[in-house]
Amino acid sequence: NSVFAEFADFATLDKFLKADPKPAFDDKELLIMSKEDYCEMKIKENGLTGKSAKHRREVMSTNSKGFNAFREMAQAKSDAKRKSGAPPVEKKDLYLEFMGSKILIQQGEDGVGSVKAEDVPFVKGASLKFEGCGGELSWAEIKEPIKEKFEGRTPFIKYARGENSGLVGFHKALTEEEIQIVKDTIKTLNSKE
């Protein structure tokens, strides 16, 4: 089993890697290494050489999505199964239940899931538009007060900094009384009515 950790700075990482005695779990000394050393170990384990090894190093060091240990482990498992000749795992359809509808999640080549916009049902009263915030807004101005009024469920906020409006999405269609609660709860945004 593996544990992946990120450190706030290189000095802390260096201190951890040079710790004496080495960290242990259940009286067993742990094998600890930097991300670069881990990547090199995986390259050797997978028998990668030449361009394949160079490509793997580049992907692991310049990944714009950031290091994701779970993605790396899943990729390593997939690579190992493919090399062993094991039949590929059958992909199962995944669904998202949303506002009473069952929506198919589309999986892209990179493993990231998404849904088609046309599959998402329009539910009248499940989202409210706000305007006049002056282009600067803290999500907490909306989320925190509303969360307390709706069983602790945090609403989804669609807002881009610099815009004068946005949307607040709820987990259900709101009644007229609940819409009034929102209006009474949030009377100003960014100190503007």
Side-chain angles (χ1 to χ4, degrees):
N1 294 336
S2 300
V3 174
F4 298 89
E6 292 186 17
F7 293 85
D9 55 65
F10 284 102
T12 307
L13 168 64
D14 192 52
K15 183 178 176 182
F16 179 78
L17 290 173
K18 293 178 180 175
D20 190 33
K22 296 282 185 203
F25 179 75
D26 283 348
D27 296 322
K28 294 179 186 171
E29 184 175 300
L30 299 176
L31 172 63
I32 59 172
M33 63 184 73
S34 68
K35 177 182 172 184
E36 290 77 17
D37 291 341
Y38 174 81
C39 293
E40 286 300 319
M41 178 185 76
K42 288 298 182 183
I43 287 169
K44 288 178 186 169
E45 280 181 9
N46 290 314
L48 301 176
T49 58
K51 287 183 180 180
S52 297
K54 181 181 178 188
H55 175 70
R56 178 60 69 169
R57 281 185 200 97
E58 287 172 358
V59 167
M60 291 180 156
S61 66
T62 62
N63 187 349
S64 63
K65 293 181 182 176
F67 178 68
N68 180 326
F70 298 105
R71 184 179 59 234
E72 297 297 330
M73 290 189 309
Q75 182 63 46
K77 271 186 184 177
S78 174
D79 291 346
K81 283 182 182 175
R82 193 173 57 247
K83 284 183 181 180
S84 71
V89 176
E90 181 184 332
K91 289 186 180 181
K92 295 180 182 175
D93 287 342
L94 294 176
Y95 292 89
L96 168 70
E97 293 210 16
F98 176 74
M99 300 281 188
S101 295
K102 197 173 176 181
I103 304 170
L104 177 65
I105 298 173
Q106 309 289 326
Q107 185 174 1
E109 290 294 319
D110 58 358
V112 175
S114 63
V115 297
K116 293 180 180 176
E118 60 268 19
D119 292 345
V120 178
F122 173 76
V123 179
K124 185 176 180 165
S127 50
L128 300 175
K129 183 176 183 178
F130 61 87
E131 294 179 318
C133 63
E136 288 294 320
L137 177 70
S138 165
W139 291 358
E141 282 185 74
I142 297 174
K143 284 188 174 198
E144 292 307 315
I146 292 178
K147 179 177 160 183
E148 295 172 16
K149 304 289 183 186
F150 291 94
E151 305 113 34
R153 301 280 301 259
T154 306
F156 172 78
I157 310 294
K158 182 177 181 181
Y159 168 74
R161 198 165 298 289
E163 295 291 322
N164 198 37
S165 64
L167 296 172
V168 182
F170 295 87
H171 66 284
K172 63 178 187 171
L174 301 183
T175 64
E176 289 300 322
E177 294 91 28
E178 290 169 325
I179 292 171
Q180 191 58 51
I181 289 171
V182 172
K183 289 178 179 179
D184 293 342
T185 303
I186 303 174
K187 294 185 182 208
T188 62
L189 291 174
N190 193 22
S191 303
K192 295 173 176 46
E193 282 193 40

